[in-house]
């Protein structure tokens, strides 16, 4: 037997043969294909070709066959050139196969001759040999079982790692390490060593060391993948416990260190959420990063309540789950911690912990691990000490983790995590654009926090974080609304045009037709009709209040903002548990609202001061009227109270706008009266040069025109809908005009003394209608001018009667300068007495026009008049 040669040692490896065989087949197939096509063309009968085809077609066929033959020849040359080396190699392999076959045949012949030449052993030696062979066979079977476990371990380890069963993978790895140590044990004094049983394992089976090298690197793989799996957010506390115990038994780490690793990985999970906006899917991939991270929108801005709620809730869930899982694993309140139960179950021969109290994934032993391997029946030949193997755990020292130490580490981690989450909560809430949405998200998060399982102090900290973000965002939304309202308000004031002031005329504001609301589409419910009706109703109310479209446009910028703030405040103030938060929000917001009120007054004051410098211009005077009306509306509006100002600020705002309105009206009165006096002076100067002295029968037409112009200007102020300011302004205007008129008369600005006396008596009557005793100045002027009359025969009665008759005829032209009488005159029995509160003119007097009229044209009687 010693002279026999093993066929495997003398034969050439078949790898080259196997690799070259396909090339030979391809070469033969291509050659056969080419030969077949050429033979088909060659077998064509020329007589049949000339019979079937014309001469031209036969020539085309000849050209085609020649081209095909040349193409095939070229292909054959290219193929032979490319496959030349393979052909040579194939021939070499064939020769090598032949020589190898011959050597195998010779070896078999030698084996046959050697067997025939041996003699049969004696019978008594045969029994002992059988016993030795049985013992050796068992040794070899046990050796094979050891080797088989090493061979099957890598594939099974990969499967367990892919399924994230790291605890079972760690057990299998430790079992493989024990098997490897049992195989390489070379103690000569041990009777059970492989050397004493006639097997030199390392010498005869070098595969064992190579296989262990392929298995040994799984330790770092298991540790790395198990550590990264701690970042996943969907893991249950059983999975986390199994992973931490994997690190505990593989690295021999104390449970305190495993807790530190767990907290550090959860910190990384939290950082990933913070960097990605809090949106992750919860599934982890092999590198430990979230499998699907996404944010909503183009950047970090979210626009829906659900997205913000999910984003914040995912952040808080990482914190709460980490604390709850840590306490469940290391410090259970009702029974032993889960980690302690599993470790005790692993070490005890007959576990005191009932198996039904532990999850099924922790009921692991070596027999269960061996049953997972393929052909596990062969592994029953392993020694009993291997089949009963259990990883060593020191329960007395390293596995103990006191409650105080656990709470200290969890408290430090909780403090650091909440500090990192605070800014993320603010960023998440900053994407919400309305207060109601912010508080709905806050309510949902508070409900979630109350059910998260943390203790009272930790829930209070999370609640404060949510409340801080809610308060800051609510204040931010309101501040942004105030800033926007202020900016647009300033822009609107800059583009006020003089012609817009004419809209304050009663004829324009009261009788201007409103657009008819569009009819709702067919099938609309009652709400659609009600909405259009409410819109029309609001327009009518504004029109009756004297608010022109331009004035309403400017005021709505402020009033709508105030109404929105007040509506938001009423919606968030309904529950008692959030009353303190609402109060804090209002307290932090109120200075901004009060600052806006002050800035509005300052802006209006600056605009009024600027216009007062250009008051001589018509445009400046008209724009000043608009600012005054704007200040008056703000003084009576609920803007200051709705915007959230304090009572003192509200009072100051109303007083400031009222004072501003008074300033504007005072300036307007001075401008209006001075303009009319200048007009009167210019008219008197012109009339003195063109009209001769005539007997005066009443007030001059120029005076009546000035009073009519003043009355029209008062109506243009738009104060008709404010009775108290309107009446005060009318009285003050006529008083100021009378004072200026007296000054003009004292300066001898009149046609003659008689006409001046009629004018003074008329003005005295107009002023006396107010009943406030302001006609003293006019009485003094009359007393001074009476001695200078050209015809002193006129009595006071005649002058008073002329003034009363003129007032009765002109009262409808100067109504703004007259008070509204609550008790109309009853001099006449007709219905005119109810309309003409300052007297009904007599009908038997000569008609005197109130204003200068143009003379009628001579062609006027010739015009055709339609009398239908």
């Amino acid at each position: 037997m010693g002279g026999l040669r093993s066929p495997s040692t003398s034969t050439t490896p078949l790898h080259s043969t196997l690799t070259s065989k396909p090339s030979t087949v391809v070469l033969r197939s291509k050659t056969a294909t080419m030969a077949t096509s050429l033979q088909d063309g060659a077998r064509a009968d020329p007589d049949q070709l000339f019979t079937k085809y014309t001469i031209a077609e036969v020539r085309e066929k000849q050209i085609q066959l020649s081209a095909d033959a040349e193409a095939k020849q070229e292909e054959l040359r290219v193929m032979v050139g490319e496959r030349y080396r393979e052909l040579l190699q194939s021939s070499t392999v064939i020769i090598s196969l032949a020589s190898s076959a011959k050597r195998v045949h010779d070896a078999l012949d030698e084996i046959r001759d050697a067997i025939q030449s041996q003699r049969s052993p004696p019978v008594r030696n045969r029994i002992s040999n059988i016993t030795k062979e049985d013992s050796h066979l068992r040794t070899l079977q046990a050796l094979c079982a050891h080797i088989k476990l090493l061979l099957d371990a890598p594939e099974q380890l990969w499967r367990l790692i892919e399924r994230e069963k790291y605890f079972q993978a760690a057990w299998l790895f430790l079992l493989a390490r024990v098997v490897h140590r049992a195989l390489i044990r070379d103690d000569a004094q041990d009777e059970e060593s492989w050397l004493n049983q006639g097997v030199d394992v390392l010498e005869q089976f070098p595969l064992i060391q190579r296989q262990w090298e392929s298995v040994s690197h799984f330790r770092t793989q298991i540790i790395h993948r198990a550590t990264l799996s701690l970042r996943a957010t969907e893991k249950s506390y059983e999975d986390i416990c199994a992973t931490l115990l994997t690190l505990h038994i593989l690295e021999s780490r104390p449970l305190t260190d495993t807790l530190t690793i767990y907290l550090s990985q959860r910190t990384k999970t939290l950082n990933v959420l913070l960097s990605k906006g809090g949106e992750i899917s919860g599934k982890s991939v092999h590198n430990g990063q979230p499998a699907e991270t996404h944010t909503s929108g183009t950047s970090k801005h979210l626009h829906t309540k659900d997205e913000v709620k999910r984003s914040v809730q995912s952040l808080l869930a990482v914190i709460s789950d980490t604390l709850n899982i840590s306490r469940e694993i290391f410090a259970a309140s009702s029974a032993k911690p889960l980690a302690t139960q599993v470790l005790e179950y692993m070490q005890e021969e007959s576990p005191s912990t009932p198996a039904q109290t532990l999850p099924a994934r922790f009921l692991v032993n070596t027999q269960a691990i061996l049953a997972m391997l393929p052909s596990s029946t062969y592994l029953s030949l392993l020694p009993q000490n291997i089949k009963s193997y259990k990883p060593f755990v020191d329960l007395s020292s390293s596995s103990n983790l006191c409650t105080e130490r656990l709470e200290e580490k969890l408290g430090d981690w909780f403090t650091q995590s909440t500090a990192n989450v605070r800014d993320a909560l603010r960023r998440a809430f900053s994407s919400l654009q309305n207060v109601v949405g912010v508080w709905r998200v806050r309510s949902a998060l508070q409900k979630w926090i109350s059910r998260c399982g943390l203790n009272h102090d930790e829930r209070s900290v999370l609640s404060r974080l949510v409340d801080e973000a809610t308060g800051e965002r609510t204040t931010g939304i309101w501040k942004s609304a105030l800033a926007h309202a202020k900016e647009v308000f300033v822009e609107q004031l800059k583009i006020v045009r003089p012609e817009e002031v004419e809209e304050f005329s009663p004829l324009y504001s009261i009788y201007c037709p409103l657009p008819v609301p569009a009819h709702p589409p067919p099938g609309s419910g009652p709400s659609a009709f009600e909405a259009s009706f409410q819109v029309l109703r609001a327009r009518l109310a504004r029109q009756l209040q004297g608010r022109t479209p331009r004035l309403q446009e400017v005021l709505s910028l402020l009033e709508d903002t105030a109404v929105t703030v007040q509506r938001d405040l009423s919606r968030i103030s309904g529950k008692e548990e959030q009353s303190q938060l609402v109060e804090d929000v209002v307290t932090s917001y109120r200075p901004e609202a009060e600052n806006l009120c002050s800035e509005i007054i300052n802006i209006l004051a600056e605009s009024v001061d600027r216009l007062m410098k250009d008051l001589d211009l018509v445009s400046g005077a008209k724009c000043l009227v608009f600012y005054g009306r704007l200040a008056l509306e703000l003084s009576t509006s609920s803007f200051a109270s709705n915007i959230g100002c304090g009572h003192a600020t509200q009072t100051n705002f109303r007083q400031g706008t009222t004072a501003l309105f008074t300033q504007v009206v005072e300036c307007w009165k001075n401008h209006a009266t001075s303009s009319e006096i200048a007009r009167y002076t210019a008219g008197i100067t012109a009339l003195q040069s063109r009209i001769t002295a005539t007997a005066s029968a009443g007030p001059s037409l120029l005076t009546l025109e000035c009073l009519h112009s003043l009355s029209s200007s008062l109506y243009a102020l738009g104060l008709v809908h404010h009775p108290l300011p309107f009446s005060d302004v009318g009285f003050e205007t006529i008083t100021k005009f009378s004072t200026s008129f007296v000054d003009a008369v004292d300066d001898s600005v009149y046609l003659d003394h008689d006409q001046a006396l009629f004018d003074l008596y008329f003005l005295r009557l107009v002023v006396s209608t107010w009943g406030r005793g302001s006609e003293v100045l006019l009485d003094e002027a009359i007393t001074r001018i009476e001695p200078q009359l050209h015809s002193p025969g006129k009595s006071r009665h005649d002058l008073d009667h002329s003034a009363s008759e003129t007032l009765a005829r002109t009262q409808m032209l100067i109504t703004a300068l007259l008070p509204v009488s609550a008790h109309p005159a009853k001099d006449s029995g007709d219905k005119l007495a109810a309309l003409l509160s300052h007297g009904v003119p007599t009908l038997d007097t000569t008609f005197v026009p109130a204003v200068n009229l143009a003379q009628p044209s001579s062609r006027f009687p010739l015009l055709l008049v339609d009398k239908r």
Side-chain angles (χ1 to χ4, degrees), residues 496-516:
V496 173
R497 298 185 300 272
E499 56 269 17
E500 294 173 349
V501 183
E502 298 177 359
E503 298 178 357
F504 291 125
S505 172
L507 295 178
Y508 185 90
S509 60
I510 297 297
Y511 302 107
C512 181
L514 293 177
V516 179

Side-chain angles (χ1 to χ4, degrees), residues 274-287:
L274 295 176
S275 62
K276 298 297 182 180
E279 289 288 334
I280 69 171
S281 65
K283 297 184 178 180
S284 60
V285 295
H286 303 309
N287 59 0

Side-chain angles (χ1 to χ4, degrees), residues 705-769:
E705 289 177 1
C706 291
L707 294 177
H708 173 66
S709 178
L710 275 179
S711 179
S712 300
S713 299
L714 279 172
Y715 279 118
L717 286 176
L719 302 179
V720 179
H721 308 282
H722 299 271
L724 184 60
F726 181 73
S727 60
D728 292 341
V729 173
F731 171 73
E732 293 170 0
T733 302
I734 187 61
T735 302
K736 186 176 289 294
F737 178 80
S738 300
T739 303
S740 300
F741 187 85
V742 170
D743 294 339
V745 171
D746 291 341
D747 294 338
S748 300
V749 181
Y750 48 83
L751 291 175
D752 53 36
H753 293 85
D754 296 338
Q755 186 63 60
L757 189 62
F758 276 105
D759 292 341
L760 289 173
Y761 265 90
F762 181 73
L763 287 176
R764 179 180 177 279
L765 179 61
V766 172
V767 173
S768 64
T769 57

Side-chain angles (χ1 to χ4, degrees), residues 140 156 264 665 741 768 803 819 854:
L140 293 179
Q156 189 63 27
S264 65
V665 170
F741 187 85
S768 64

Side-chain angles (χ1 to χ4, degrees), residues 529-602:
F529 292 89
E530 184 179 359
S532 60
F533 171 75
Q534 293 297 337
V535 172
L536 181 60
R537 180 180 181 180
R539 290 178 179 175
L540 286 173
R542 290 195 299 266
Q543 192 173 27
L544 292 175
Q545 293 173 0
R547 285 195 176 185
T548 63
R550 187 70 179 91
L551 182 62
Q552 177 63 25
E553 181 181 359
V554 178
L555 289 173
S556 63
L557 299 173
L558 302 176
E559 293 179 342
D560 292 348
T561 302
V563 169
T564 301
V565 172
Q566 191 63 29
R567 186 188 303 115
D568 293 340
L569 190 59
S570 63
R571 290 180 179 178
I572 66 179
S573 302
K575 297 182 180 179
E576 296 182 359
E577 60 270 14
Q578 59 191 28
S579 59
Q580 183 61 40
L581 177 59
V582 174
E583 184 178 352
D584 295 340
V585 170
V586 172
T587 302
S588 62
Y589 157 76
R590 182 168 294 163
E592 295 294 331
E594 295 176 349
N595 185 38
L596 176 63
C597 292
S598 301
E599 290 180 350
I600 289 175
I601 295 177
N602 295 334

